[in-house]
Amino acid sequence: MTEGNPQNRRTVLKAAGVGGTMSVAGCLNNAVNDDSTAKPADNQTESNGTSPAKSVDTDRVAADPTELPDPVDWNSPRHHEVEMTTLEQTAEIEPGVTFDYMTFDGRIPGPMVRVRQDDTVTVSLTNDESNAMPHNVDFHAVYGPGGGASASTVQPGETETFKFKAKYPGVFVYHCAVPNLDYHISSGMYGAILVEPKDGLPEVDRELYFGQHEIYTDSPAGEKGHHKFDFEAMKSEDPTYTCLNGEAYAITSDGYGPVNVDKGERIRIFHANGGPNLTSSWHAIGNVWETFYRDGAVASEPDHYVETAPVVPGSVAIAEIDTPVPEPIKLVDHALTRVAREGLLGIINVEGEPEPEIFDPDPA
């Protein structure tokens, strides 16, 4: 993935109106064939009700979607030592807008854990000594109390450990599950664990890992300053931002860069919905989910040629796509207000020679 300057990241399109929506969505305007979007009016300034932006603890919380473990290449059960650290950090949702995140290992989504069915996993969760709150982790791949949450509840500066056997295949969410679990998940504490079936998954050319979640703040999207968490907005399920990988428009040319792939590659995408509340209408503009595993159920027969699919909170979907033409594939939630005004957009940029027999933008 090409790294961009986060200071150039697009501000949320709250002032763009219908034209901005069309430009971002792409499927509403056939004239848009690249990653460019209409810019909002430059009127997003700090208001009297928003505190000044804080200094940040990290330049980035958005996980690189290309960073995930390699496919399973072993044929008998193994033991894995998984170590994760919870971090409470201030970072920018978008330039000039700071927020107090909570993360696993400093990234959203947290690191993917990848094992094989019948493998044994020892999880050690460290709560960084700089943190103020207790944390834990609930793996949806675990037979056991709270998916390991009870055994892993840990105070700042301490480490807790538990062990489990991965008995069933699939890809599953993990998340913090302390009593204020919705607050912790909304602040970034979720990720995915992939338990590959004994025979593995079909080979593909490339894999990518994304996460979607909502952020509820006490100021409007794009309003500069420090946004505090808003519990009433969360209770009303009215997010300020809905993000891929924790930040507004992070995986675009105005963020850290799109994911660049070569024409003809077959790509597997893992899409974790941390929630805590909203179902994603997961859609690829300019493509289709050629093979789709609903809820990550790899032991079931997949669907094919799915245009838009629900990914409910607390689940992970798997899609495989083909890339026969050069184009920017736009990963969106087809509840399109989340794209136009709340920050949810990611780009896979397919590079290569045109294929006019498949798509011709200017036929003679």
mmCIF file of all heavy atoms in Angstrom, residues 88-119:
data_model
loop_
_atom_site.group_PDB
_atom_site.id
_atom_site.type_symbol
_atom_site.label_atom_id
_atom_site.label_comp_id
_atom_site.label_asym_id
_atom_site.label_seq_id
_atom_site.Cartn_x
_atom_site.Cartn_y
_atom_site.Cartn_z
ATOM 1 N N GLU A 88 -4.580 2.814 25.080
ATOM 2 C CA GLU A 88 -5.475 3.964 25.023
ATOM 3 C C GLU A 88 -4.666 5.127 24.473
ATOM 4 O O GLU A 88 -3.695 5.560 25.092
ATOM 5 C CB GLU A 88 -6.025 4.268 26.414
ATOM 6 C CG GLU A 88 -6.834 3.116 27.007
ATOM 7 C CD GLU A 88 -7.127 3.276 28.493
ATOM 8 O OE1 GLU A 88 -6.940 4.412 29.015
ATOM 9 O OE2 GLU A 88 -7.519 2.290 29.141
ATOM 10 N N GLN A 89 -5.052 5.613 23.290
ATOM 11 C CA GLN A 89 -4.236 6.590 22.578
ATOM 12 C C GLN A 89 -5.106 7.690 21.974
ATOM 13 O O GLN A 89 -6.212 7.427 21.496
ATOM 14 C CB GLN A 89 -3.479 5.908 21.426
ATOM 15 C CG GLN A 89 -2.526 4.804 21.847
ATOM 16 C CD GLN A 89 -1.967 4.085 20.632
ATOM 17 O OE1 GLN A 89 -2.702 3.506 19.840
ATOM 18 N NE2 GLN A 89 -0.661 4.140 20.469
ATOM 19 N N THR A 90 -4.556 8.899 21.968
ATOM 20 C CA THR A 90 -5.197 9.997 21.257
ATOM 21 C C THR A 90 -4.611 10.069 19.854
ATOM 22 O O THR A 90 -3.395 10.065 19.669
ATOM 23 C CB THR A 90 -4.965 11.327 21.985
ATOM 24 O OG1 THR A 90 -5.517 11.251 23.296
ATOM 25 C CG2 THR A 90 -5.632 12.475 21.236
ATOM 26 N N ALA A 91 -5.508 10.114 18.861
ATOM 27 C CA ALA A 91 -5.087 10.222 17.465
ATOM 28 C C ALA A 91 -6.142 11.006 16.705
ATOM 29 O O ALA A 91 -7.188 11.363 17.249
ATOM 30 C CB ALA A 91 -4.890 8.832 16.856
ATOM 31 N N GLU A 92 -5.872 11.260 15.433
ATOM 32 C CA GLU A 92 -6.810 12.001 14.601
ATOM 33 C C GLU A 92 -7.761 11.065 13.866
ATOM 34 O O GLU A 92 -7.320 10.088 13.260
ATOM 35 C CB GLU A 92 -6.059 12.855 13.576
ATOM 36 C CG GLU A 92 -5.351 14.060 14.169
ATOM 37 C CD GLU A 92 -4.752 14.952 13.103
ATOM 38 O OE1 GLU A 92 -4.212 14.422 12.109
ATOM 39 O OE2 GLU A 92 -4.837 16.182 13.262
ATOM 40 N N ILE A 93 -9.048 11.383 13.918
ATOM 41 C CA ILE A 93 -10.014 10.719 13.047
ATOM 42 C C ILE A 93 -9.832 11.231 11.626
ATOM 43 O O ILE A 93 -9.902 10.472 10.667
ATOM 44 C CB ILE A 93 -11.453 10.978 13.509
ATOM 45 C CG1 ILE A 93 -11.661 10.515 14.952
ATOM 46 C CG2 ILE A 93 -12.447 10.288 12.573
ATOM 47 C CD1 ILE A 93 -13.048 10.852 15.516
ATOM 48 N N GLU A 94 -9.613 12.508 11.504
ATOM 49 C CA GLU A 94 -9.256 13.186 10.259
ATOM 50 C C GLU A 94 -8.450 14.413 10.671
ATOM 51 O O GLU A 94 -8.388 14.766 11.856
ATOM 52 C CB GLU A 94 -10.495 13.561 9.462
ATOM 53 C CG GLU A 94 -11.482 14.463 10.195
ATOM 54 C CD GLU A 94 -12.610 14.940 9.298
ATOM 55 O OE1 GLU A 94 -12.311 15.300 8.147
ATOM 56 O OE2 GLU A 94 -13.767 14.957 9.742
ATOM 57 N N PRO A 95 -7.770 15.078 9.748
ATOM 58 C CA PRO A 95 -6.922 16.194 10.142
ATOM 59 C C PRO A 95 -7.661 17.240 10.956
ATOM 60 O O PRO A 95 -8.734 17.724 10.586
ATOM 61 C CB PRO A 95 -6.443 16.754 8.796
ATOM 62 C CG PRO A 95 -6.439 15.574 7.898
ATOM 63 C CD PRO A 95 -7.631 14.777 8.307
ATOM 64 N N GLY A 96 -7.094 17.575 12.107
ATOM 65 C CA GLY A 96 -7.664 18.592 12.975
ATOM 66 C C GLY A 96 -8.720 18.098 13.932
ATOM 67 O O GLY A 96 -9.213 18.872 14.753
ATOM 68 N N VAL A 97 -9.071 16.813 13.855
ATOM 69 C CA VAL A 97 -10.094 16.227 14.721
ATOM 70 C C VAL A 97 -9.457 15.110 15.525
ATOM 71 O O VAL A 97 -9.096 14.064 14.970
ATOM 72 C CB VAL A 97 -11.285 15.673 13.910
ATOM 73 C CG1 VAL A 97 -12.304 15.010 14.833
ATOM 74 C CG2 VAL A 97 -11.939 16.776 13.097
ATOM 75 N N THR A 98 -9.281 15.326 16.829
ATOM 76 C CA THR A 98 -8.669 14.295 17.669
ATOM 77 C C THR A 98 -9.723 13.557 18.474
ATOM 78 O O THR A 98 -10.821 14.058 18.728
ATOM 79 C CB THR A 98 -7.622 14.903 18.609
ATOM 80 O OG1 THR A 98 -8.236 15.909 19.447
ATOM 81 C CG2 THR A 98 -6.476 15.523 17.819
ATOM 82 N N PHE A 99 -9.360 12.337 18.879
ATOM 83 C CA PHE A 99 -10.281 11.453 19.592
ATOM 84 C C PHE A 99 -9.453 10.494 20.432
ATOM 85 O O PHE A 99 -8.341 10.130 20.057
ATOM 86 C CB PHE A 99 -11.141 10.679 18.580
ATOM 87 C CG PHE A 99 -12.120 9.719 19.197
ATOM 88 C CD1 PHE A 99 -13.258 10.179 19.846
ATOM 89 C CD2 PHE A 99 -11.910 8.349 19.114
ATOM 90 C CE1 PHE A 99 -14.164 9.281 20.418
ATOM 91 C CE2 PHE A 99 -12.802 7.455 19.667
ATOM 92 C CZ PHE A 99 -13.937 7.926 20.320
ATOM 93 N N ASP A 100 -10.005 10.101 21.571
ATOM 94 C CA ASP A 100 -9.316 9.148 22.450
ATOM 95 C C ASP A 100 -9.737 7.731 22.079
ATOM 96 O O ASP A 100 -10.834 7.271 22.412
ATOM 97 C CB ASP A 100 -9.661 9.437 23.914
ATOM 98 C CG ASP A 100 -9.145 10.783 24.382
ATOM 99 O OD1 ASP A 100 -8.113 11.242 23.844
ATOM 100 O OD2 ASP A 100 -9.774 11.391 25.269
ATOM 101 N N TYR A 101 -8.862 7.056 21.356
ATOM 102 C CA TYR A 101 -9.118 5.690 20.905
ATOM 103 C C TYR A 101 -8.691 4.678 21.970
ATOM 104 O O TYR A 101 -7.883 4.960 22.855
ATOM 105 C CB TYR A 101 -8.314 5.387 19.642
ATOM 106 C CG TYR A 101 -8.779 6.049 18.375
ATOM 107 C CD1 TYR A 101 -8.225 7.261 17.952
ATOM 108 C CD2 TYR A 101 -9.731 5.442 17.559
ATOM 109 C CE1 TYR A 101 -8.625 7.849 16.754
ATOM 110 C CE2 TYR A 101 -10.130 6.027 16.362
ATOM 111 C CZ TYR A 101 -9.569 7.222 15.969
ATOM 112 O OH TYR A 101 -9.960 7.814 14.782
ATOM 113 N N MET A 102 -9.229 3.467 21.835
ATOM 114 C CA MET A 102 -8.727 2.285 22.531
ATOM 115 C C MET A 102 -8.451 1.230 21.470
ATOM 116 O O MET A 102 -9.266 1.052 20.555
ATOM 117 C CB MET A 102 -9.739 1.753 23.542
ATOM 118 C CG MET A 102 -10.245 2.776 24.545
ATOM 119 S SD MET A 102 -11.428 1.995 25.674
ATOM 120 C CE MET A 102 -12.489 3.400 26.051
ATOM 121 N N THR A 103 -7.316 0.529 21.579
ATOM 122 C CA THR A 103 -6.929 -0.394 20.518
ATOM 123 C C THR A 103 -6.278 -1.646 21.074
ATOM 124 O O THR A 103 -5.815 -1.678 22.222
ATOM 125 C CB THR A 103 -5.921 0.254 19.549
ATOM 126 O OG1 THR A 103 -4.676 0.471 20.251
ATOM 127 C CG2 THR A 103 -6.426 1.575 18.991
ATOM 128 N N PHE A 104 -6.237 -2.663 20.232
ATOM 129 C CA PHE A 104 -5.350 -3.794 20.426
ATOM 130 C C PHE A 104 -4.117 -3.567 19.566
ATOM 131 O O PHE A 104 -4.208 -3.428 18.338
ATOM 132 C CB PHE A 104 -6.031 -5.107 20.012
ATOM 133 C CG PHE A 104 -7.178 -5.530 20.894
ATOM 134 C CD1 PHE A 104 -8.484 -5.317 20.492
ATOM 135 C CD2 PHE A 104 -6.948 -6.136 22.125
ATOM 136 C CE1 PHE A 104 -9.551 -5.711 21.292
ATOM 137 C CE2 PHE A 104 -8.001 -6.532 22.935
ATOM 138 C CZ PHE A 104 -9.305 -6.315 22.527
ATOM 139 N N ASP A 105 -2.963 -3.476 20.203
ATOM 140 C CA ASP A 105 -1.679 -3.285 19.523
ATOM 141 C C ASP A 105 -1.616 -2.008 18.699
ATOM 142 O O ASP A 105 -0.861 -1.913 17.728
ATOM 143 C CB ASP A 105 -1.332 -4.486 18.634
ATOM 144 C CG ASP A 105 -0.830 -5.685 19.431
ATOM 145 O OD1 ASP A 105 -0.798 -5.611 20.675
ATOM 146 O OD2 ASP A 105 -0.478 -6.704 18.804
ATOM 147 N N GLY A 106 -2.420 -1.008 19.054
ATOM 148 C CA GLY A 106 -2.287 0.302 18.431
ATOM 149 C C GLY A 106 -2.891 0.447 17.064
ATOM 150 O O GLY A 106 -2.674 1.464 16.393
ATOM 151 N N ARG A 107 -3.657 -0.551 16.604
ATOM 152 C CA ARG A 107 -4.225 -0.494 15.271
ATOM 153 C C ARG A 107 -5.703 -0.892 15.293
ATOM 154 O O ARG A 107 -6.150 -1.634 16.163
ATOM 155 C CB ARG A 107 -3.464 -1.419 14.313
ATOM 156 C CG ARG A 107 -2.059 -0.923 13.952
ATOM 157 C CD ARG A 107 -2.124 0.319 13.083
ATOM 158 N NE ARG A 107 -0.804 0.792 12.655
ATOM 159 C CZ ARG A 107 -0.133 1.759 13.260
ATOM 160 N NH1 ARG A 107 -0.631 2.331 14.354
ATOM 161 N NH2 ARG A 107 1.036 2.156 12.782
ATOM 162 N N ILE A 108 -6.449 -0.368 14.298
ATOM 163 C CA ILE A 108 -7.864 -0.705 14.103
ATOM 164 C C ILE A 108 -8.043 -1.160 12.659
ATOM 165 O O ILE A 108 -7.699 -0.413 11.740
ATOM 166 C CB ILE A 108 -8.770 0.516 14.381
ATOM 167 C CG1 ILE A 108 -8.549 1.041 15.803
ATOM 168 C CG2 ILE A 108 -10.231 0.130 14.180
ATOM 169 C CD1 ILE A 108 -9.237 2.370 16.063
ATOM 170 N N PRO A 109 -8.562 -2.388 12.451
ATOM 171 C CA PRO A 109 -8.861 -3.390 13.468
ATOM 172 C C PRO A 109 -7.590 -3.928 14.085
ATOM 173 O O PRO A 109 -6.488 -3.739 13.557
ATOM 174 C CB PRO A 109 -9.597 -4.474 12.668
ATOM 175 C CG PRO A 109 -9.047 -4.350 11.276
ATOM 176 C CD PRO A 109 -8.817 -2.877 11.076
ATOM 177 N N GLY A 110 -7.748 -4.627 15.229
ATOM 178 C CA GLY A 110 -6.597 -5.254 15.857
ATOM 179 C C GLY A 110 -6.015 -6.330 14.965
ATOM 180 O O GLY A 110 -6.613 -6.734 13.958
ATOM 181 N N PRO A 111 -4.818 -6.817 15.295
ATOM 182 C CA PRO A 111 -4.129 -7.769 14.415
ATOM 183 C C PRO A 111 -4.949 -9.030 14.180
ATOM 184 O O PRO A 111 -5.598 -9.537 15.095
ATOM 185 C CB PRO A 111 -2.835 -8.078 15.174
ATOM 186 C CG PRO A 111 -3.137 -7.746 16.603
ATOM 187 C CD PRO A 111 -4.083 -6.588 16.564
ATOM 188 N N MET A 112 -4.934 -9.520 12.938
ATOM 189 C CA MET A 112 -5.607 -10.789 12.668
ATOM 190 C C MET A 112 -4.811 -11.924 13.288
ATOM 191 O O MET A 112 -3.582 -11.996 13.153
ATOM 192 C CB MET A 112 -5.766 -11.032 11.164
ATOM 193 C CG MET A 112 -6.408 -12.385 10.860
ATOM 194 S SD MET A 112 -6.586 -12.764 9.108
ATOM 195 C CE MET A 112 -8.036 -11.789 8.730
ATOM 196 N N VAL A 113 -5.525 -12.813 13.955
ATOM 197 C CA VAL A 113 -4.948 -14.060 14.448
ATOM 198 C C VAL A 113 -5.350 -15.142 13.455
ATOM 199 O O VAL A 113 -6.519 -15.238 13.060
ATOM 200 C CB VAL A 113 -5.467 -14.401 15.856
ATOM 201 C CG1 VAL A 113 -4.904 -15.728 16.337
ATOM 202 C CG2 VAL A 113 -5.129 -13.273 16.831
ATOM 203 N N ARG A 114 -4.387 -15.972 13.031
ATOM 204 C CA ARG A 114 -4.674 -16.988 12.000
ATOM 205 C C ARG A 114 -4.138 -18.337 12.452
ATOM 206 O O ARG A 114 -2.938 -18.497 12.681
ATOM 207 C CB ARG A 114 -4.042 -16.578 10.675
ATOM 208 C CG ARG A 114 -4.478 -17.417 9.485
ATOM 209 C CD ARG A 114 -4.039 -16.785 8.194
ATOM 210 N NE ARG A 114 -4.753 -17.290 7.042
ATOM 211 C CZ ARG A 114 -4.807 -16.685 5.861
ATOM 212 N NH1 ARG A 114 -4.187 -15.520 5.692
ATOM 213 N NH2 ARG A 114 -5.475 -17.215 4.853
ATOM 214 N N VAL A 115 -5.035 -19.319 12.569
ATOM 215 C CA VAL A 115 -4.667 -20.656 13.021
ATOM 216 C C VAL A 115 -5.417 -21.681 12.163
ATOM 217 O O VAL A 115 -6.194 -21.328 11.274
ATOM 218 C CB VAL A 115 -4.990 -20.863 14.515
ATOM 219 C CG1 VAL A 115 -4.240 -19.841 15.373
ATOM 220 C CG2 VAL A 115 -6.490 -20.766 14.783
ATOM 221 N N ARG A 116 -5.196 -22.953 12.465
ATOM 222 C CA ARG A 116 -5.875 -24.054 11.788
ATOM 223 C C ARG A 116 -6.807 -24.736 12.772
ATOM 224 O O ARG A 116 -6.547 -24.764 13.982
ATOM 225 C CB ARG A 116 -4.828 -25.038 11.255
ATOM 226 C CG ARG A 116 -5.350 -26.295 10.569
ATOM 227 C CD ARG A 116 -4.172 -27.167 10.167
ATOM 228 N NE ARG A 116 -4.563 -28.404 9.532
ATOM 229 C CZ ARG A 116 -4.839 -29.543 10.164
ATOM 230 N NH1 ARG A 116 -4.787 -29.576 11.497
ATOM 231 N NH2 ARG A 116 -5.169 -30.634 9.494
ATOM 232 N N GLN A 117 -7.897 -25.290 12.284
ATOM 233 C CA GLN A 117 -8.818 -26.030 13.135
ATOM 234 C C GLN A 117 -8.062 -27.104 13.920
ATOM 235 O O GLN A 117 -7.236 -27.823 13.361
ATOM 236 C CB GLN A 117 -9.914 -26.675 12.283
ATOM 237 C CG GLN A 117 -11.024 -27.331 13.084
ATOM 238 C CD GLN A 117 -12.095 -27.919 12.179
ATOM 239 O OE1 GLN A 117 -11.956 -27.933 10.947
ATOM 240 N NE2 GLN A 117 -13.173 -28.402 12.776
ATOM 241 N N ASP A 118 -8.338 -27.162 15.209
ATOM 242 C CA ASP A 118 -7.710 -28.069 16.186
ATOM 243 C C ASP A 118 -6.355 -27.592 16.681
ATOM 244 O O ASP A 118 -5.728 -28.268 17.501
ATOM 245 C CB ASP A 118 -7.595 -29.508 15.671
ATOM 246 C CG ASP A 118 -8.948 -30.217 15.670
ATOM 247 O OD1 ASP A 118 -9.848 -29.790 16.412
ATOM 248 O OD2 ASP A 118 -9.100 -31.205 14.922
ATOM 249 N N ASP A 119 -5.886 -26.429 16.227
ATOM 250 C CA ASP A 119 -4.700 -25.829 16.836
ATOM 251 C C ASP A 119 -5.033 -25.361 18.256
ATOM 252 O O ASP A 119 -6.196 -25.073 18.582
ATOM 253 C CB ASP A 119 -4.201 -24.630 16.027
ATOM 254 C CG ASP A 119 -3.452 -25.030 14.774
ATOM 255 O OD1 ASP A 119 -3.252 -26.237 14.547
ATOM 256 O OD2 ASP A 119 -3.067 -24.122 14.001
#
